[in-house]
Amino acid sequence: MPNVFASPHPLVAHKLTRLRDVQTDPKKFRELVREIAGLLAYEATADLALEPRQVQTPLAKCAGYELKEKIGLVPILRAGLGMVEGVWGLMPSAEVWHIGLYRDERTLQPVEYYNKLPVAPTVSVCMVLDPMLATGGSAVATVDVLKRWGVNKIKFVGIIGAPEGIALMHQHHPEVPIYLAAIDERLNERGYILPGLGDAGDRQFGTA
Ligand code: PRP
Ligand code: URA
């Protein structure tokens, strides 16, 4: 599938298996979400632009680099929150902008309840963080918000994606690359990913 990257990394596969396990408790679940997010962010940032920066070592001057563009991390509340620390640890100067969406259980459509983005964009690259890409409604709505804000370089970093959600993203935002730990089989009749991991928000926050 174009523009969709399922991680081939053995550490991701190992951690994802523990994450899916119904026996994994919320503390371990949060730890795994954080770690997988960091590993996927490493893969998702391989094409970030650099600019030259000279540095003085204790012995000599040395040609080096620094990130050229200002990066924004955009976790979708609630479940995306757990991915922030793992990614932020790799790029501590990133800004974090929260978007609050929940999925209406009946219609499966996203409902926006929190958005404090300032009028003008303060970053030039956004990484949308949400562990689950199910119908894709939440991811599409978030990318819509970011494009209206004025940011056009956007990446989606999730953990598990369903073919249905990937197809919706491709339909609305084909240029947005999607980074995942795994692509699962399908959605069930309630819009949950199969085999998936259940409800990512409830499993992190102990609210099941
Ligand atoms: C989950 C998940 C995504 C959304 C995915 O959030 O974290 O945001 O569902 O589903 P979709 O692709 O069909 O839109 P949920 O609405 O359960 O809210 P929560 O994170 O607050 O639990
Ligand atoms: N949201 C979740 O948390 N899990 C799913 O499988 C689908 C949507």
Side-chain angles (χ1 to χ4, degrees), residues 6-176:
S7 176
H9 203 293
L11 281 176
V12 172
H14 175 90
K15 289 175 189 297
L16 176 64
T17 304
R18 295 199 63 188
L19 190 73
R20 290 185 192 271
D21 190 338
V22 67
Q23 305 290 352
T24 298
D25 66 21
K27 180 170 185 289
K28 186 69 193 172
F29 192 92
R30 289 193 295 275
E31 192 179 303
L32 290 163
V33 167
R34 190 181 68 237
E35 291 171 353
I36 293 170
L39 291 166
L40 295 180
Y42 177 77
E43 294 176 355
T45 50
D47 63 349
L48 286 183
L50 293 171
E51 60 189 3
R53 174 177 173 256
Q54 198 178 58
V55 68
Q56 174 73 52
T57 79
L59 300 176
K61 284 192 187 346
C62 172
Y65 303 95
E66 65 185 4
L67 290 176
K68 187 173 180 181
E69 296 173 295
K70 190 89 188 151
I71 299 165
L73 308 183
V74 185
I76 303 179
L77 305 177
R78 287 177 301 171
L81 274 181
M83 297 178 72
V84 172
E85 285 300 327
V87 183
W88 217 1
L90 301 176
M91 46 186 104
S93 60
E95 296 180 7
V96 179
W97 293 102
H98 302 85
I99 299 288
L101 292 178
Y102 71 86
R103 221 169 52 145
D104 182 292
E105 282 185 13
R106 199 174 44 81
T107 64
L108 297 184
Q109 292 305 305
V111 180
E112 186 174 327
Y113 63 88
Y114 185 85
N115 173 353
K116 288 275 191 185
L117 292 174
V119 176
T122 56
V123 297
S124 47
V125 182
C126 279
M127 293 174 69
V128 176
L129 307 177
D130 190 330
M132 308 307 276
L133 181 63
T135 66
S138 305
V140 166
T142 301
V143 174
D144 286 342
V145 166
L146 296 176
K147 285 186 175 174
R148 280 199 298 275
W149 193 34
V151 177
N152 287 309
K153 279 194 200 166
I154 301 170
K155 295 164 183 276
F156 180 89
V157 183
I159 293 183
I160 301 180
E164 294 89 334
I166 293 169
L168 198 75
M169 276 290 276
H170 276 159
Q171 188 188 326
H172 290 265
H173 304 295
E175 80 291 0
V176 173

Side-chain angles (χ1 to χ4, degrees), residues 79 103 132-135 187 190-194 196-202:
R103 221 169 52 145
M132 308 307 276
L133 181 63
T135 66
L187 300 179
R190 291 174 50 229
Y192 277 82
I193 300 176
L194 289 176
L197 51 71
D199 190 304
D202 283 345

